[in-house]
Amino acid sequence: MSYLSLSAKDKVEMLARVGAASVDDLFCCIPEAVRFKRPLDLPAAQSELELVRTIDTVGAKNAYGHHLSFLGGGAYDHFIPTVVDYLSSRGEFVSPYTPYQPEVSQGTLQLIFEFQTLICQLTGLDIANDSLYDGSTGAAEAVLMAHRVTSRDKVIVARSLHPQYREVVRTYIKNLGIEAVEVGFGPDGRIDAAELKRVLDDKTAAVVCQSPNFFGVVEDIRALSDAAHGVKALSVAVVAEALSLALFEAPGKLGADIVTGEGQSFGLPVSFGGPYLGFMACKKEFLRQMPGRITGQTVDKEGRRGFVLTLSTREQHIRRERATSNICSNQALCALRATIFMETLGKQGLREMAWQNAQKAAYAADKLAAIQGVKRKFTGPLFNEFVIELRKPWPAVDAALRAKGIVGGYGLEPEYPGIGSSAVVCVTELRTKDEIDRLARTLQEVLS
Amino acid sequence: MIKEIREPLIFEISAAGKRASELPQLDVPAKKDLLAGVPLRREIDDFPEVSETEITRHFTRLSTKNYCVDMGIYPLGSCTMKYNPKINERLAAHPAFAASHPLASADLVQGSLEVLKKLEGCLCEIAGMDAFTLQPAAGAHGELTGMMLIRRALEARGDARKYVLIPDSAHGTNPSSAHICGYTVKEIKSNEKGTIDLASLEQEMTEEVAALMVTNPNTLGVFESDICRIAEIVHAKGGFVYMDGANLNALTGVVRPGDMGIDVMHINLHKTFSTPHGGGGPGSGPVGVKKELVPFLPVPVIVEKGGRYTLDFDRPGSIGRVRAYFGNFGVIVRALCYILTLGPKGVREIAEFAVLNANYIRKSLEGEFYLKYPTASMHECVFSDKFQKEFGVTNLDISKRLIDFGMHPPTMSFPLIVHGALMIEPTETESRRDLDMFIDAMKAIAKEAKENPEILHAAPHVTYVSRLDEVAAAKFPVLRWEKKA
């Protein structure tokens, strides 16, 4: 089936108006030699009913859904109120383009203005953009931004930054002569302050640190920012679990100059890694170096309030190769979901959700650490993830847990060689006490 | 709808103590001293507090202030605003996919991996390329990835080279992406047909040039008929040809980039493959390559063997990751559903009807609006405001007046080589009735420009707000709500 709307008669009449004898005539400007002469080798067209069956069949091959899961690591399973799905699926939000014509886009522009405000409130910074692709590219954009602001070519990156974010940062900077120096972590799971001090110098553009970091440990943003500022470098705080912002002091209030991260926790399903929602906020003195779209408030000819995309001279469609970033699109529909989510949870609900995450993770951490052969790897403060260290090798434990229908965590050894048999376990508000107890019970069985 | 609806910012209707959502009581014993010594926030200052009724009204009212494809023609040139099939939304939210975790081991997410691999296969066939990566999150992200692949391939040969050639008609992301990949951009002039001038290309194409970035059809909607010769010139000096696939909608099933000398390209799934634009995103920008560039693709690469899917990370030549996880998976599901629905014939009909509709509009408006380049049009046609300028009317006035006729304006901001551009791309999904309504509106506006230009200067007249002061917005930026002191 297709989504065409012309009748056979329309087609004949329109070809006549155009002055073409056939549809092939319309392609006369394409040299005969390169034209594609056979039918495309694609599956035969399917009706809606067939398509649903096809996708059901493919979906059924995802065994993951039959497991009790404690996976986090930058993709978090949180409660999503029904209004988020309901309101965000309206065609008026789903099917417009970028709001370049503000008179017919006030809906999108106003909600993005609200999104920017919410991100500023959560991060404790002056300004926020309309969104970026995701947390990993947000981290990379923050590094490039710090490089532009400081004109320095070295960035210090915590090894406890999400391993995939670190890879993306490396991919981005490789061709630009920017060097990334990694700093390890101490027994508390926080960045190694002594090592940081050794590598910090007046060539450093930024100190990039995730909090809570990939081990779930909350960093001392104040100390990191002070250290960065001591050499006139920027402090970049990466937040892979946006919900944590509702509980901990805003990074901007602790000295961070740029806060960037992943907003998936705010109303977006884990959806195999995307689409997600990168966000970025910064101090207002860096406004002109900020990547991505920005929405601003203004007035119309009658003096009524309205919103427009603004400060676009930073962007590629005006500045071309001198733009602050090559980014063109944003993640508006994801930002809409996050905005509805944040406004629905509201001041009390968002903090309550964050608090429950912290309490449940603490309960689970204690419970698991009480099992013989299991201990907490790091002593630093936690949000909703923690690392357990095991007497037996993690791959074997993981397989045994899975055989009992549990995905217990994410093994760290492949990406952190030398860390020993350990895994990061995530507990959100969706995991019940019974489920946590079941994990503990099963782990004990597996290890005994 | 009611024109006078005023919807305040959510912060302005917030009142202490209201809420729209509750969680179950905490079911584990609460620890009193939890997080002692860690700086916690007392509350999120000024965060909204509203009821569910208010949330629903707020967003429903806001939604009525948007124009959208579901409402009517959206002829933005180069943006390919086609109909977004509803079933694809439902299937992208399928619980089996929505709940699948990107860090789960491959054997638990075989279905998700199959979706990725299937779409890669379909894109290879449609584009005539040897392999695709689905990691890039948008078109511009795909461009950057593609340029990184070229850079890495040249480095492997011993020299990354310095320059990238880009035609003056190109979209702004092209020079920006090349620049962020560490290259210096050189512009290639267009000739009187609006296509790449072969003599300029031959002169500029040296062994210091890494690649030519070409959009085909270009942003004028004109097919680069010399594309094979262009590719020969670039290849003869050891360079690569990158194709911006923004306009692939004109080509599906008719000609394949891989068959005309293209080495690397990106595809905008949110254009050609109908995934919704969502008011600005998310998009998805898969990158296709020819064999020589396969070793450099981002990791991981999905490998299929006997119906089982695994992830290959052991690729020493890889440029690395360009994004965490697997790209914009939900967008990828929609695009696959679209291709499965259309089948081989339907995919070819995309191009056939997109080109027919564009030429129908062009033919119907020729004479009323100035056409700088008389070269044959593919999926879009680029008029300008030259005739209307005589009466003091600009492309902006024409566009704003179209809104009064209940339609979205065309693209005006580029191509930069057409001053006062009106770039019109109807796409294949428009009905004759919608096309005729657009044509009639444009003709009526052309008449008004002569007889009553004032009505155009003051347009739009029917919207919630009239023209907004964009200069003031940039000069005195107000970028967030703040509580009045």
Side-chain angles (χ1 to χ4, degrees):
Chain A
M1 105 137 221
S2 80
Y3 297 100
L4 302 175
S5 305
L6 299 184
S7 69
K9 181 165 165 275
D10 289 334
K11 190 174 159 183
V12 171
E13 289 174 5
M14 287 168 68
L15 280 169
R17 164 106 51 112
V18 167
S22 69
V23 168
D24 279 350
D25 273 11
L26 297 170
F27 296 99
C28 57
C29 47
I30 300 178
E32 185 62 29
V34 297
R35 288 208 212 163
F36 187 63
K37 309 258 170 30
R38 62 172 172 83
L40 286 163
D41 183 14
L42 296 171
Q46 298 185 10
S47 65
E48 178 169 336
L49 188 53
E50 290 164 306
L51 179 68
V52 169
R53 287 183 187 138
T54 300
I55 296 299
D56 279 344
T57 307
V58 178
K61 297 178 189 173
N62 275 347
Y64 177 77
H66 305 302
H67 293 70
L68 170 62
S69 175
F70 294 87
L71 278 182
Y76 301 98
D77 194 14
H78 287 296
F79 171 63
I80 301 175
T82 303
V83 286
V84 175
D85 286 326
Y86 181 85
L87 294 169
S88 69
S89 60
R90 291 182 66 89
E92 297 90 337
F93 289 130
V94 173
S95 75
Y97 193 68
T98 302
Y100 288 130
Q101 297 289 336
E103 299 87 350
V104 287
S105 313
Q106 284 301 300
T108 295
L109 287 161
Q110 180 170 332
L111 78 87
I112 294 287
F113 187 80
E114 292 182 9
F115 172 77
Q116 289 177 181
T117 304
L118 296 164
I119 294 297
C120 288
Q121 291 171 336
L122 283 170
T123 57
L125 284 166
D126 306 318
I127 49 172
N129 71 9
D130 282 12
S131 71
L132 297 167
Y133 304 134
D134 77 327
S136 69
T137 52
E141 289 282 3
V143 165
L144 300 189
M145 183 174 160
H147 162 70
R148 287 191 299 273
V149 167
T150 60
S151 303
R152 295 175 177 181
D153 297 330
K154 170 178 156 183
V155 287
I156 294 174
V157 178
R159 198 168 295 141
S160 51
L161 174 65
H162 192 308
Q164 298 196 12
Y165 289 22
R166 269 183 295 141
E167 281 183 57
V168 174
V169 168
R170 275 201 296 271
T171 305
Y172 267 69
I173 64 177
K174 197 153 37 190
N175 306 316
L176 296 172
I178 304 171
E179 176 201 10
V181 177
E182 288 195 1
V183 173
F185 42 87
D188 57 357
R190 285 178 162 180
I191 192 167
D192 185 330
E195 193 182 338
L196 172 64
K197 204 172 161 195
R198 277 200 301 280
V199 296
L200 253 184
D201 57 19
D202 60 7
K203 295 183 183 67
T204 307
V207 176
V208 183
C209 208
Q210 179 180 322
S211 183
N213 65 28
F214 195 67
F215 310 132
V217 174
V218 182
E219 295 279 359
D220 185 348
I221 299 289
R222 170 80 72 197
L224 286 165
S225 300
D226 288 349
H229 295 157
V231 295
K232 295 195 163 59
L234 300 190
S235 165
V236 176
V238 178
V239 182
E241 168 49 297
L243 184 64
S244 66
L245 291 167
L247 185 59
F248 299 104
E249 181 56 284
K253 302 267 190 234
L254 298 171
D257 301 286
I258 302 172
V259 178
T260 186
E262 175 55 66
Q264 175 267 327
S265 289
F266 295 157
L268 297 165
V270 289
S271 186
F272 210 48
Y276 282 2
L277 173 67
F279 64 85
M280 182 182 273
C282 69
K283 291 181 177 161
K284 57 172 173 281
E285 58 257 46
F286 307 130
L287 172 60
R288 304 275 159 184
Q289 292 302 337
M290 174 104 109
R293 293 178 187 149
I294 296 175
T295 296
Q297 180 181 305
T298 186
V299 289
D300 75 356
K301 286 192 293 188
E302 283 73 39
R304 292 174 293 206
R305 178 168 69 182
F307 304 92
V308 291
L309 289 176
T310 190
L311 300 162
S312 56
T313 51
R314 302 164 298 111
E315 293 182 68
Q316 47 73 29
H317 63 278
I318 309 281
R319 192 61 65 84
R320 296 175 86 84
E321 65 266 33
R322 289 180 304 282
T324 55
S325 166
N326 73 330
I327 195 167
C328 176
S329 63
N330 64 356
Q331 303 280 106
L333 196 58
C334 303
L336 167 69
R337 290 185 66 98
T339 303
I340 301 171
F341 178 92
M342 287 187 271
E343 295 179 359
T344 300
L345 271 288
K347 184 189 261 188
Q348 293 178 52
L350 203 66
R351 195 172 193 285
E352 169 70 16
M353 186 184 272
W355 181 245
Q356 287 206 8
N357 274 253
Q359 286 288 1
K360 292 195 175 203
Y363 172 78
D366 287 349
K367 196 95 188 167
L368 299 192
I371 299 168
Q372 194 152 33
V374 181
K375 58 176 189 174
R376 283 267 311 279
K377 174 79 187 168
F378 301 113
T379 55
L382 304 175
F383 178 52
N384 63 3
E385 289 173 284
F386 56 91
V387 176
I388 51 170
E389 195 174 2
L390 300 127
R391 198 179 49 196
K392 286 190 181 172
W394 170 252
V397 176
D398 184 32
L401 285 172
R402 273 199 271 154
K404 294 176 184 290
I406 294 176
V407 175
Y410 182 70
L412 287 172
E413 238 182 335
E415 279 151 334
Y416 293 93
I419 200 168
S421 172
S422 50
V424 56
V425 180
C426 174
V427 185
T428 72
E429 77 287 348
L430 291 182
R431 296 289 74 82
T432 62
K433 178 172 178 296
D434 286 350
E435 289 171 337
I436 298 167
D437 292 345
R438 185 179 148 207
L439 169 67
R441 220 168 37 240
T442 314
L443 186 59
Q444 188 158 21
E445 282 164 31
V446 163
L447 290 172
S448 61
Chain B
M1 271 310 295
I2 309 138
K3 188 180 159 187
E4 288 304 319
I5 280 188
R6 293 270 168 272
E7 183 58 15
L9 290 163
I10 198 84
F11 311 100
E12 295 162 345
I13 58 174
S14 168
K18 282 205 254 186
R19 56 192 301 175
S21 180
E22 297 231 19
L23 288 173
Q25 288 292 310
L26 185 66
D27 62 352
V28 300
K31 268 188 158 179
K32 279 227 167 56
D33 58 344
L34 186 70
L35 296 167
V38 179
L40 302 182
R41 67 194 312 163
R42 201 173 49 79
E43 62 173 34
I44 314 164
D45 291 332
D46 304 326
F47 220 61
E49 295 177 88
V50 292
S51 72
E52 185 174 324
T53 316
E54 288 171 304
I55 287 284
T56 300
R57 296 248 168 95
H58 181 62
F59 286 97
T60 304
R61 285 174 175 170
L62 287 183
S63 76
T64 66
K65 300 182 178 210
N66 278 353
Y67 185 85
C68 63
V69 176
D70 282 357
M71 215 175 267
I73 192 168
Y74 215 124
L76 276 174
S78 141
C79 301
T80 315
M81 295 298 288
K82 62 172 76 174
Y83 177 69
N84 312 131
K86 304 310 165 208
I87 182 61
N88 300 353
E89 295 304 300
R90 193 179 120 200
L91 294 175
H94 196 296
F97 297 125
S100 67
H101 198 285
L103 292 181
S105 83
D107 55 315
L108 295 181
V109 287
Q110 288 290 301
S112 296
L113 294 172
E114 184 174 331
V115 165
L116 296 172
K117 201 67 194 170
K118 279 224 157 86
L119 185 66
E120 283 177 22
C122 292
L123 296 181
C124 282
E125 170 66 5
I126 292 167
M129 305 304 279
D130 294 319
F132 263 87
T133 172
L134 306 183
Q135 221 175 72
H141 202 208
E143 290 173 23
L144 177 59
T145 306
M147 295 314 293
M148 286 173 173
L149 291 166
I150 288 172
R151 191 178 180 102
R152 183 48 64 89
L154 287 167
E155 281 168 359
R157 287 188 202 159
D159 178 16
R161 301 190 176 193
K162 272 192 201 145
Y163 301 104
V164 168
L165 305 181
I166 299 179
D168 52 9
S169 59
H171 191 267
T173 50
N174 290 180
S176 182
S177 299
H179 177 74
I180 290 179
C181 192
Y183 286 114
T184 301
V185 173
K186 279 193 181 176
E187 203 171 81
I188 297 285
K189 294 273 170 254
S190 298
N191 59 25
E192 70 291 342
K193 289 191 293 183
T195 53
I196 291 173
D197 185 55
L198 288 183
S200 315
L201 177 65
E202 263 175 302
Q203 199 184 339
E204 295 290 349
M205 186 62 219
T206 66
E207 285 175 0
E208 288 198 304
V209 173
L212 167 74
M213 292 182 92
V214 58
T215 308
N216 197 14
N218 65 22
T219 58
L220 294 164
V222 171
F223 190 82
E224 297 279 355
S225 300
D226 294 322
I227 188 67
C228 295
R229 178 72 196 120
I230 288 168
E232 272 171 30
I233 293 169
V234 175
H235 290 154
K237 300 284 180 182
F240 289 96
V241 183
Y242 182 92
M243 185 172 125
D244 179 329
N247 294 336
L248 184 68
N249 214 51
L251 307 180
T252 52
V254 173
V255 59
R256 307 194 306 172
D259 297 337
M260 55 192 195
I262 305 301
D263 303 296
V264 194
M265 71 174 300
H266 81 264
I267 291 176
N268 304 76
L269 296 184
H270 48 288
K271 296 181 181 178
T272 311
F273 297 103
S274 88
T275 72
H277 283 73
S284 175
V287 170
V289 295
K290 282 300 186 64
K291 264 198 189 68
E292 187 190 348
L293 291 142
V294 170
F296 311 109
L297 287 174
V299 279
V301 166
I302 301 161
V303 181
E304 188 254 359
K305 210 173 166 187
R308 297 299 293 172
Y309 301 89
T310 52
L311 299 175
D312 180 9
F313 289 92
D314 184 21
R315 302 180 65 88
S318 168
I319 58 167
R321 275 184 184 280
V322 295
R323 187 195 179 284
Y325 316 124
F326 304 96
N328 280 343
F329 180 76
V331 180
I332 288 161
V333 175
R334 289 174 175 89
L336 179 65
C337 288
Y338 185 65
I339 293 170
L340 292 177
T341 298
L342 263 52
K345 180 164 167 278
V347 170
R348 186 183 159 100
E349 283 173 343
I350 294 174
E352 291 180 352
F353 285 83
V355 174
L356 175 59
N357 286 354
N359 277 282
Y360 180 71
I361 288 179
R362 172 177 159 160
K363 196 73 187 176
S364 305
L365 293 179
E366 262 174 8
E368 305 273 354
F369 292 90
Y370 176 67
L371 199 61
K372 182 173 173 188
Y373 297 98
T375 324
S377 291
M378 296 284 285
H379 66 301
E380 64 192 7
C381 52
V382 183
F383 289 102
S384 85
D385 58 12
K386 193 176 172 186
F387 296 159
Q388 288 71 35
K389 276 264 175 64
E390 269 182 59
F391 312 106
V393 167
T394 65
N395 60 341
L396 186 72
D397 297 325
I398 295 164
S399 289
K400 298 300 184 194
R401 184 63 179 149
L402 254 177
I403 293 172
D404 288 336
F405 285 82
M407 278 165 252
H408 196 278
T411 295
M412 296 179 285
S413 55
F414 73 102
L416 301 180
I417 55 173
V418 179
H419 192 71
L422 290 161
M423 186 197 219
I424 301 165
E425 178 184 8
T427 83
E428 73 282 6
T429 54
E430 290 309 305
S431 70
R432 174 91 176 270
R433 179 169 161 265
D434 279 298
L435 294 169
D436 285 339
M437 274 164 47
F438 175 75
I439 290 162
D440 291 346
M442 287 294 280
K443 284 181 175 170
I445 292 168
K447 192 157 176 274
E448 284 177 343
K450 286 181 214 159
E451 295 168 359
N452 187 10
E454 277 317 303
I455 198 166
L456 273 68
H457 296 319
H461 302 271
V462 302
T463 45
Y464 292 106
V465 288
S466 57
R467 284 193 211 184
L468 290 147
D469 191 343
E470 302 197 22
V471 175
K475 208 167 170 189
F476 311 104
V478 179
L479 308 178
R480 59 172 293 189
W481 172 85
E482 266 174 302
K483 191 155 84 179
K484 288 198 182 80

